[in-house]
Amino acid sequence: MTETAVGSVAQSKSQQAYDAVKARIVEGTYTPGYRLVLAKIAEDLGFSVVPVREAIRRLEAEGLVKFERNVGATVSGIDPTEYLYTMQTLSIVEGAATALSAPLIGPATIARARAVNAEMRECLEHFDPVRFTALNQDFHSVLFEHCPNPHILDLVHRGWNRLASLRSSTFRFVPGRAQESVREHEALLQLIESGADADTIEKAARQHRAATLDAYLATTT
């Protein structure tokens, strides 16, 4: 095997280890404070420790993992302050992006959004917070993807990426909020369908995001 091929295989294993550990963190298998024993993870995955160590370093850079003296690598918790700032910012930029998108949203796009919201409603029966969160992002993406201002759109994507780095499936902590969220989605769609003015749509989108933030913060006080 050539040197390039060997390097490619090592990189592939590192990526696989990264994907596997990150999935377990996001899904909640590895909870905040969980100690990540590299040798055990490597054994579970059938790899050497080297690609697992590289994966853990990447996750540390993303804020999903932290190193503690005399403990080693552990899963990071959600920083309430960072979550607060991220959600506040996202409520503003996503609300603006949704309002700017509204005039460009036609019946086909509304139907797509309703189909996603229907999946979210079905997800409530056997609640899976990780799937619900992914569907929630899909729903909102349908509504803001037509935003004609690329700078605002970039800020929205950055906000969603920051939420992901916070390892946040808020609905895991406030499952009761999920049902309200589905109802608010339908109300938002009805506003867009009826041709409501931009200020009304932006306010509704911002309040929707703020309600999730308030529900989460209520659990931390």
Side-chain angles (χ1 to χ4, degrees):
M1 186 179 290
T2 65
E3 184 176 339
T4 301
V6 171
S8 178
V9 170
Q11 186 176 19
S12 175
K13 286 186 176 180
S14 174
Q15 182 64 45
Q16 289 177 50
Y18 167 84
D19 290 341
V21 176
K22 184 172 184 177
R24 292 174 187 178
I25 292 174
V26 172
E27 291 166 1
T29 302
Y30 295 162
T31 55
Y34 181 89
R35 187 178 174 213
L36 298 166
V37 180
L38 272 60
K40 179 65 169 62
I41 294 172
E43 181 183 351
D44 290 344
L45 297 176
F47 296 158
S48 70
V49 172
V50 175
V52 175
R53 183 180 294 114
E54 291 174 356
I56 296 300
R57 284 174 180 162
R58 283 180 62 186
L59 292 166
E60 181 190 19
E62 293 177 10
L64 296 177
V65 169
K66 63 180 180 179
F67 279 88
E68 298 181 33
R69 178 177 289 184
N70 301 323
V71 176
T74 60
V75 176
S76 300
I78 294 175
D79 183 329
T81 303
E82 280 298 309
Y83 181 73
L84 169 65
Y85 293 157
T86 299
M87 288 289 279
Q88 284 179 335
T89 303
L90 192 55
S91 73
I92 294 169
V93 296
E94 189 178 78
T98 301
L100 288 170
S101 291
L104 306 174
I105 293 176
T109 302
I110 291 287
R112 279 174 55 206
R114 276 217 170 92
V116 175
N117 206 36
E119 287 188 65
M120 295 178 73
R121 193 175 292 109
E122 291 174 5
C123 191
L124 293 173
E125 297 178 13
H126 302 285
F127 192 56
D128 177 348
V130 174
R131 173 167 166 71
F132 190 90
T133 298
L135 288 170
N136 185 54
Q137 182 169 356
D138 290 344
F139 174 86
H140 287 286
S141 295
V142 172
L143 297 190
F144 64 64
E145 67 184 5
H146 295 287
C147 177
N149 185 321
H151 296 286
I152 291 178
L153 201 53
D154 178 61
L155 290 173
V156 174
H157 288 303
R158 288 189 188 189
W160 277 101
N161 289 337
R162 185 173 291 278
L163 276 185
S165 74
L166 287 171
R167 196 197 55 81
S168 180
S169 172
T170 311
F171 299 105
R172 181 192 309 282
F173 304 99
V174 284
R177 171 67 191 142
Q179 195 162 11
E180 296 171 7
S181 184
V182 170
R183 287 197 295 267
E184 289 166 13
H185 284 174
E186 177 55 32
L188 188 55
L189 289 175
Q190 289 178 13
L191 284 176
I192 295 172
E193 266 185 320
S194 67
D197 62 86
D199 286 344
T200 299
I201 292 172
E202 181 171 355
K203 184 178 180 180
R206 288 182 63 174
Q207 287 180 337
H208 169 66
R209 176 68 59 189
T212 300
L213 170 62
D214 291 343
Y216 173 73
L217 292 179
T219 70
T220 65
T221 57

Short mmCIF file of all heavy atoms in Angstrom, two decimals, residues 124 132 171 175-186 208 211-212 215:
data_model
loop_
_atom_site.label_atom_id
_atom_site.label_comp_id
_atom_site.label_asym_id
_atom_site.label_seq_id
_atom_site.Cartn_x
_atom_site.Cartn_y
_atom_site.Cartn_z
N LEU A 124 -44.17 13.33 17.78
CA LEU A 124 -44.60 13.59 19.15
C LEU A 124 -45.13 12.33 19.83
O LEU A 124 -45.07 12.19 21.05
CB LEU A 124 -45.69 14.67 19.17
CG LEU A 124 -45.28 16.08 18.75
CD1 LEU A 124 -46.51 16.98 18.66
CD2 LEU A 124 -44.27 16.67 19.73
N PHE A 132 -36.67 15.17 16.17
CA PHE A 132 -37.55 16.33 16.19
C PHE A 132 -36.75 17.60 15.91
O PHE A 132 -37.19 18.48 15.16
CB PHE A 132 -38.26 16.44 17.55
CG PHE A 132 -39.37 17.46 17.58
CD1 PHE A 132 -40.67 17.10 17.25
CD2 PHE A 132 -39.11 18.78 17.93
CE1 PHE A 132 -41.70 18.04 17.26
CE2 PHE A 132 -40.13 19.72 17.95
CZ PHE A 132 -41.42 19.35 17.61
N PHE A 171 -35.31 20.33 22.97
CA PHE A 171 -36.53 19.59 23.23
C PHE A 171 -36.30 18.38 24.13
O PHE A 171 -37.24 17.84 24.69
CB PHE A 171 -37.17 19.16 21.90
CG PHE A 171 -37.54 20.33 21.04
CD1 PHE A 171 -36.78 20.66 19.92
CD2 PHE A 171 -38.63 21.13 21.36
CE1 PHE A 171 -37.11 21.75 19.13
CE2 PHE A 171 -38.96 22.24 20.58
CZ PHE A 171 -38.20 22.54 19.46
N PRO A 175 -39.52 18.78 26.65
CA PRO A 175 -40.33 18.06 25.65
C PRO A 175 -41.73 18.65 25.47
O PRO A 175 -42.31 18.55 24.38
CB PRO A 175 -40.39 16.63 26.21
CG PRO A 175 -40.07 16.77 27.68
CD PRO A 175 -39.11 17.90 27.76
N GLY A 176 -42.27 19.27 26.52
CA GLY A 176 -43.59 19.87 26.40
C GLY A 176 -43.62 21.01 25.40
O GLY A 176 -44.67 21.33 24.83
N ARG A 177 -42.48 21.63 25.17
CA ARG A 177 -42.37 22.73 24.22
C ARG A 177 -42.58 22.25 22.78
O ARG A 177 -43.01 23.02 21.91
CB ARG A 177 -41.00 23.39 24.39
CG ARG A 177 -40.64 24.42 23.36
CD ARG A 177 -41.49 25.65 23.43
NE ARG A 177 -41.26 26.49 22.25
CZ ARG A 177 -42.19 27.17 21.61
NH1 ARG A 177 -43.43 27.16 22.03
NH2 ARG A 177 -41.89 27.88 20.55
N ALA A 178 -42.30 20.98 22.51
CA ALA A 178 -42.38 20.45 21.15
C ALA A 178 -43.79 20.56 20.57
O ALA A 178 -43.96 20.94 19.41
CB ALA A 178 -41.92 18.99 21.15
N GLN A 179 -44.79 20.24 21.36
CA GLN A 179 -46.17 20.30 20.87
C GLN A 179 -46.57 21.74 20.55
O GLN A 179 -47.21 22.01 19.52
CB GLN A 179 -47.12 19.72 21.93
CG GLN A 179 -48.50 19.41 21.38
CD GLN A 179 -49.27 18.46 22.29
OE1 GLN A 179 -48.84 18.20 23.42
NE2 GLN A 179 -50.38 17.94 21.81
N GLU A 180 -46.18 22.66 21.41
CA GLU A 180 -46.46 24.08 21.16
C GLU A 180 -45.75 24.55 19.89
O GLU A 180 -46.29 25.34 19.11
CB GLU A 180 -46.00 24.92 22.35
CG GLU A 180 -46.73 24.62 23.65
CD GLU A 180 -46.09 25.31 24.84
OE1 GLU A 180 -45.15 26.12 24.61
OE2 GLU A 180 -46.50 25.05 25.97
N SER A 181 -44.55 24.05 19.68
CA SER A 181 -43.77 24.44 18.52
C SER A 181 -44.46 24.06 17.22
O SER A 181 -44.50 24.85 16.27
CB SER A 181 -42.38 23.79 18.58
OG SER A 181 -41.57 24.22 17.52
N VAL A 182 -45.03 22.86 17.19
CA VAL A 182 -45.74 22.40 15.99
C VAL A 182 -46.93 23.31 15.71
O VAL A 182 -47.19 23.68 14.55
CB VAL A 182 -46.19 20.94 16.16
CG1 VAL A 182 -47.14 20.52 15.04
CG2 VAL A 182 -44.97 20.02 16.17
N ARG A 183 -47.66 23.68 16.76
CA ARG A 183 -48.81 24.57 16.58
C ARG A 183 -48.37 25.95 16.07
O ARG A 183 -49.02 26.54 15.20
CB ARG A 183 -49.57 24.72 17.90
CG ARG A 183 -50.38 23.49 18.30
CD ARG A 183 -51.42 23.85 19.37
NE ARG A 183 -50.78 24.27 20.61
CZ ARG A 183 -50.51 23.44 21.61
NH1 ARG A 183 -50.81 22.15 21.52
NH2 ARG A 183 -49.95 23.89 22.72
N GLU A 184 -47.28 26.45 16.60
CA GLU A 184 -46.79 27.75 16.18
C GLU A 184 -46.30 27.72 14.73
O GLU A 184 -46.41 28.71 14.01
CB GLU A 184 -45.68 28.21 17.12
CG GLU A 184 -46.19 28.59 18.50
CD GLU A 184 -45.08 28.72 19.54
OE1 GLU A 184 -43.90 28.76 19.13
OE2 GLU A 184 -45.40 28.78 20.74
N HIS A 185 -45.77 26.59 14.31
CA HIS A 185 -45.36 26.44 12.92
C HIS A 185 -46.55 26.62 11.98
O HIS A 185 -46.45 27.33 10.97
CB HIS A 185 -44.75 25.05 12.69
CG HIS A 185 -43.37 24.89 13.22
ND1 HIS A 185 -42.70 23.69 13.22
CD2 HIS A 185 -42.52 25.79 13.78
CE1 HIS A 185 -41.50 23.85 13.74
NE2 HIS A 185 -41.38 25.12 14.10
N GLU A 186 -47.65 25.99 12.32
CA GLU A 186 -48.84 26.09 11.48
C GLU A 186 -49.35 27.53 11.45
O GLU A 186 -49.76 28.04 10.39
CB GLU A 186 -49.94 25.15 11.98
CG GLU A 186 -51.25 25.22 11.21
CD GLU A 186 -51.11 25.00 9.72
OE1 GLU A 186 -50.21 24.24 9.29
OE2 GLU A 186 -51.90 25.60 8.96
N HIS A 208 -41.63 32.91 18.26
CA HIS A 208 -41.56 31.44 18.23
C HIS A 208 -40.20 30.98 18.76
O HIS A 208 -40.12 30.08 19.60
CB HIS A 208 -41.78 30.97 16.80
CG HIS A 208 -41.48 29.52 16.58
ND1 HIS A 208 -42.21 28.50 17.16
CD2 HIS A 208 -40.52 28.91 15.83
CE1 HIS A 208 -41.71 27.33 16.78
NE2 HIS A 208 -40.70 27.55 15.99
N ALA A 211 -39.79 31.78 22.53
CA ALA A 211 -40.56 30.91 23.42
C ALA A 211 -39.78 29.65 23.76
O ALA A 211 -39.85 29.15 24.89
CB ALA A 211 -41.90 30.55 22.77
N THR A 212 -39.05 29.12 22.81
CA THR A 212 -38.21 27.95 23.06
C THR A 212 -37.09 28.29 24.03
O THR A 212 -36.79 27.54 24.95
CB THR A 212 -37.62 27.40 21.74
OG1 THR A 212 -38.70 27.03 20.87
CG2 THR A 212 -36.74 26.18 21.99
N ALA A 215 -38.52 28.65 27.52
CA ALA A 215 -38.86 27.35 28.12
C ALA A 215 -37.60 26.65 28.64
O ALA A 215 -37.63 26.06 29.73
CB ALA A 215 -39.55 26.47 27.07
#
